Amino acid sequence: MTTEADTSAPATPAADGAPPASAVPTAPEGGNILGDQPGAAAPPTDVSSPEATQPGTETKASDTPGVPEKYEFTPPEGFAVDPEALNGYEGLAKDAGLTQEQFAKVTEYGLKYFHDQLGKQAEAQDLRVGNWMKETLADGEIADGKTLRPEAREAAGRVMERFGGDDLRKALVETGAGNHPAIVKAFISIGKAMGVASPPDTGNPVPQNAKGNGLDDIAARMYGNGA
């Protein structure tokens, strides 16, 4: 029985042990099934292609399917967003390939998370300052359990007026330091050391005839002739 000869040419092995050209699978027409799926690895780039090395062919974040050119975000009620900080965050979101929906969910979660953490820190600070006040008012030497004793309040107020005034008082209130036992006691001690408020002693006038450089002359210029 006569059989027809196979006229197809046998696959010729490529150099260096590479598989024959006919053995390399080709993608079906209409796209790559796996490559078109979200999260699938991109098909390898043919480095021998001129387009692979041609400048300006890199894929931009905005060219990624689902990534918008500009993200839109409306903060939840009671929240404020710094536009400059949000712009920097948008760049990171584009690099990560976030869609508009993903961006909105992640951003809202982040805002609420940090708001919650800041709230907890504020509560902890309020508790800390309250404990400072209780400890200060429990000190019988300077307080009666409810408020500072009159002489202690007067001494602390003397320091306040002399060295800081309203700005110092405001800083002590905003930071809570005005309730700290060590701060309160320091103000009272300084005020007591200052004594009753009085005009500063300007000393005696320098004698006009004290022009020598001896110790007595220097003392006379500094302290007057009675030195």
Side-chain angles (χ1 to χ4, degrees), residues 8-226:
S8 61
T12 303
D16 299 331
S22 60
V24 179
T26 58
E29 294 182 2
N32 188 296
I33 294 177
L34 295 180
D36 292 340
Q37 301 302 314
T45 303
D46 182 7
V47 295
S48 63
S49 172
E51 289 80 3
T53 56
Q54 185 176 358
T57 59
E58 296 83 357
T59 301
K60 298 180 181 179
S62 58
D63 296 335
T64 305
V67 177
E69 182 66 27
K70 175 69 176 177
Y71 288 106
E72 300 294 336
F73 179 72
T74 301
E77 184 177 356
F79 290 81
V81 178
D82 181 4
E84 184 175 349
L86 187 61
N87 288 337
Y89 171 59
E90 286 181 359
L92 295 175
K94 286 185 177 182
D95 291 341
L98 297 185
T99 64
Q100 172 60 49
E101 182 180 3
Q102 292 170 333
F103 175 84
K105 288 183 177 180
V106 171
T107 306
E108 182 173 345
Y109 175 83
L111 283 176
K112 291 182 177 180
Y113 173 81
F114 285 110
H115 182 270
D116 181 61
Q117 294 301 309
L118 291 175
K120 291 180 179 180
Q121 292 180 12
E123 292 176 0
Q125 175 66 5
D126 290 343
L127 179 61
R128 185 182 302 112
V129 172
N131 289 335
W132 289 345
M133 176 182 288
K134 291 179 180 178
E135 184 178 348
T136 299
L137 297 179
D139 190 333
E141 294 184 1
I142 61 175
D144 59 7
K146 295 181 179 180
T147 185
L148 291 178
R149 298 187 183 281
E151 62 274 14
R153 185 185 301 107
E154 181 181 352
R158 190 177 302 133
V159 178
M160 197 87 65
E161 295 301 326
R162 179 73 178 273
F163 298 106
D166 292 338
D167 289 341
L168 177 58
R169 185 178 289 106
K170 181 179 179 181
L172 292 172
V173 170
E174 290 180 348
T175 62
N179 288 331
H180 196 288
I183 301 295
V184 175
K185 290 180 180 179
F187 270 65
I188 294 173
S189 297
I190 295 172
K192 289 180 177 180
M194 291 170 57
V196 179
S198 59
D201 183 8
T202 57
N204 298 322
V206 178
Q208 297 297 322
N209 58 352
K211 299 181 179 180
N213 292 324
L215 294 178
D216 292 339
D217 297 325
I218 295 175
R221 288 197 295 271
M222 295 178 63
Y223 307 108
N225 290 327

